[in-house]
Amino acid sequence: MTKLEHKSAFEFINAHWDEQILPELIEYIRIPNKSPLFDPQWAENGHMDRAVELFRRWCEAQEIPGVTIEVLRDEGRTPLLFIEIPGDSQGEILFYGHLDKQPEMEGWDEGLGPWTPVIKDDRLYGRGGADDGYACFAALTSLMALHKQGISHARCTVLIEASEESGSRDLPHYLKRLSARIGSPDLVICLDAGACNYSQMWLSTSLRGNLTGVLTVKMLTEGVHSGQASGAVASTFRIIREILSRLEDSKTGKIIPSSLHVDIPEDRIAEVENVVDILGDEVNKLFPLVDGGRLMSHLSEEVLLGTTWRPTLSYTGIAGIPPIGDAGNVLRPCTSLKLAFRLPPTLDSGQAANDIKTLLELDPPYGAEITFDVDSAMDGWNASPLSPWLREAVNSASLAAFERPAAMLGLGGSIPFMSMLGKMYPNAQFVITGVLGPNSNAHGPNEFLDIPYSKRLTLAIADIVCNFSSAK
C-alpha cells in the first residue's frame, strides 16, 4: 500500500500555489463574472466566458497524463468546465467547485474591493477567490502531488459550474447530459464549504436549505400626501410588519410555524458539543459585531445550532422606499421586501414555500393586496454517516496537513449540488470542505482566501485521494 510522502508533497503544493495558482486567482478576481441572478446580461457582457477561459487555459497547461478538458456551452445556459482524469486503481471520485460570483457589496476597507485583488498578511482579498475559484486549482494540484510520487489514484472527474450562486439552475441539465461520463462516484469531494478555524481540516456534515421570495404589500394605486392620507390609510410598511409577525418573533428572531422546524438528530447535536469544546470562547468571535453587540444567545451550542439546523429569516432587499435624500411627505402606495429563509437540512423546501406563501397572503389586513412570489426553493442536505475508512482517512489527512485531527459541523449555507448528488448517488461518500474560515466573509465586503490554509487543505485532499485508492 503506497503512502503519500507528506513533506515532499507539501513542498510541491506550496511551490505550485505560489508560482501557478495565485497568479491565476489574482487575474480571476479581476473579472466581474457575477452569477446570472445578479447579471441578467451575463452572456452579452462576456465576463463568465473570460473566467471559464482562464480556468481552461490553466488546466490545459498542467502536466496531468491523459487528462481531458472540455467546456460545455449549451444554448441558453451558463458554461460548465468538465475535466476527466484517468485512474489506475478502482473506484470513482467526483470533485466539485464553481466559478460564478456574488455581487460587489458595499463596505470594503480602503484599498480593497471586489474586483481588486490584494495580498495582505497571507490573505488574498477579492470576490470569488475563496468562494469558490480556488477549487479547480486545488483539485488538480492535489492529483499532481500524487503523480509526482508515482502514486496510483482512482479515476477522477471535476465539475466546475457557473450558476451556483443562482441556485445551480443549469447544473441538473449538465448532470443529466454527463451522467454516463461521470459514472457512479464512490466519493464526492466538494470544495465549496467552510471552516471554523484555520488550524485543522473541517468537514460539513449538513447544509441548510434556501428559500427566497419577494413579499409585496400594496394599499394605494398611487402615492398620496402623508398629511392627507396618514391616519386614514394604513401604511404598507406597518402592514408588512404585522404579517411578518406571523412568521418571526420580533424579539427573539425565532421562526414561529412548527412546520418549518425539524427534530435535530442526536449525532448533529454531539458534533456541535465537540465543536464548542474545540473553539471555546471563539464561537462568540465568529462574527464582526459592533462594539457592545452580542449574539442572539449566550450559549455557544445554541449559536451553532441556530446557524446549522434552525430555520431563519433574513431581509436582503427592499423596494418602494426612496433613498433618504429623496424622501418626501408621501404615503407610499406599496412596499416590497426580499425574504431569504434558511431551512433545516431535512425540511422539504417546496412544502415550506407553500406554507409560507399561504401564511403571508391569508386574511390581508385592511384588504391590502399582498403577494409572496417565490424566487427559488432549494432543499438542504444531511450526510449519511462516514464509512470507517473515510473517517480514518479524513482524520489522517488533517493530522498530516495541520497536525491536528479533523472536526465536523453542519454548514449554515446552501450548496444545491449536494442535495442533487445525494439523491442521484445515495451510496456515495461525501467530503464537503473548504477554505471559508473565520472572517473570510463570503458574499460580503473584504472576502478573503487564507493562503496557508488553502495550501494545507490541498495536501489534505491529496492524502484522502491516496487513502481512498488504498481502501478500494
Side-chain angles (χ1 to χ4, degrees), residues 24-39 42 47-48 50-52 54-55 98-104 108 113-117 125-134 161-166 442-443 447:
E24 297 298 326
L25 280 176
I26 286 170
E27 292 308 310
Y28 162 71
I29 286 172
R30 297 187 197 278
I31 304 173
N33 58 309
K34 291 185 287 187
S35 200
L37 185 64
F38 310 105
D39 182 11
W42 66 269
H47 302 309
M48 200 71 75
R50 286 173 56 204
V52 170
L54 183 151
F55 278 58
H98 70 88
L99 54 73
D100 56 316
K101 303 176 184 178
Q102 283 276 324
E104 293 86 343
W108 292 75
W115 323 127
T116 305
Y125 287 86
R127 179 68 79 233
D131 184 26
D132 186 35
Y134 88 99
E161 66 157 317
S163 67
E164 193 274 345
E165 302 291 6
S166 300
H443 301 190
E447 178 183 334

Side-chain angles (χ1 to χ4, degrees), residues 274-319:
N274 182 58
V275 170
V276 171
D277 288 340
I278 293 172
L279 297 182
D281 291 340
E282 292 301 310
V283 171
N284 299 316
K285 302 175 184 178
L286 293 175
F287 309 99
L289 298 174
V290 298
D291 288 344
R294 60 182 184 271
L295 300 178
M296 291 165 59
S297 174
H298 66 280
L299 300 174
S300 296
E301 290 86 351
E302 285 301 306
V303 170
L304 295 179
L305 288 173
T307 60
T308 57
W309 274 89
R310 298 225 165 90
T312 61
L313 171 59
S314 301
Y315 306 93
T316 59
I318 192 165

Side-chain angles (χ1 to χ4, degrees), residues 18 41 47 105 118 131 199 201 240 282 340 377 379:
D18 289 343
Q41 282 74 50
H47 302 309
M105 187 69 179
V118 173
D131 184 26
S199 56
M201 185 178 185
I240 274 191
E282 292 301 310
D379 287 346

Side-chain angles (χ1 to χ4, degrees), residues 163-394:
S163 67
E164 193 274 345
E165 302 291 6
S166 300
S168 292
R169 64 191 195 186
D170 295 329
L171 190 57
H173 165 82
Y174 285 121
L175 286 174
K176 183 177 180 181
R177 176 176 167 180
L178 294 168
S179 60
R181 295 169 65 183
I182 293 173
S184 182
D186 302 286
L187 176 63
V188 176
I189 300 176
C190 172
L191 299 172
D192 188 27
C196 292
N197 60 32
Y198 295 109
S199 56
Q200 62 201 116
M201 185 178 185
W202 289 84
L203 259 62
S204 297
T205 53
S206 63
L207 301 162
R208 285 195 290 186
N210 191 23
L211 169 65
T212 62
V214 177
L215 172 63
T216 298
V217 173
K218 294 182 180 179
M219 199 68 214
L220 295 165
T221 58
E222 60 186 8
V224 178
H225 193 297
S226 61
Q228 176 186 358
S230 62
V233 180
S235 158
T236 55
F237 192 87
R238 180 168 67 83
I239 294 173
I240 274 191
R241 289 169 57 200
E242 179 180 346
I243 61 175
L244 285 174
S245 67
R246 303 170 182 177
L247 271 177
E248 180 188 46
D249 185 320
S250 63
K251 291 185 177 180
T252 65
K254 180 180 178 180
I255 299 301
I256 297 170
S258 60
S259 64
L260 299 180
H261 292 260
V262 301
D263 293 330
I264 304 174
E266 290 296 326
D267 58 343
R268 300 302 178 229
I269 294 175
E271 286 177 359
V272 164
E273 292 171 349
N274 182 58
V275 170
V276 171
D277 288 340
I278 293 172
L279 297 182
D281 291 340
E282 292 301 310
V283 171
N284 299 316
K285 302 175 184 178
L286 293 175
F287 309 99
L289 298 174
V290 298
D291 288 344
R294 60 182 184 271
L295 300 178
M296 291 165 59
S297 174
H298 66 280
L299 300 174
S300 296
E301 290 86 351
E302 285 301 306
V303 170
L304 295 179
L305 288 173
T307 60
T308 57
W309 274 89
R310 298 225 165 90
T312 61
L313 171 59
S314 301
Y315 306 93
T316 59
I318 192 165
I321 299 180
I324 290 175
D326 297 329
N329 293 323
V330 176
L331 191 68
R332 297 173 297 98
C334 68
T335 302
S336 295
L337 287 177
K338 181 70 173 284
L339 307 185
F341 296 86
R342 294 292 178 176
L343 305 175
T346 55
L347 191 71
D348 184 314
S349 63
Q351 184 60 52
N354 291 333
D355 292 347
I356 292 169
K357 182 176 178 65
T358 299
L359 186 65
L360 291 175
E361 295 181 353
L362 182 69
D363 191 20
Y366 305 103
E369 181 181 313
I370 299 176
T371 58
F372 179 62
D373 297 320
V374 176
D375 293 329
S376 67
M378 297 177 291
D379 287 346
W381 172 80
N382 186 32
S384 56
L386 293 185
S387 65
W389 80 263
L390 183 55
R391 184 175 292 275
E392 174 58 30
V394 168

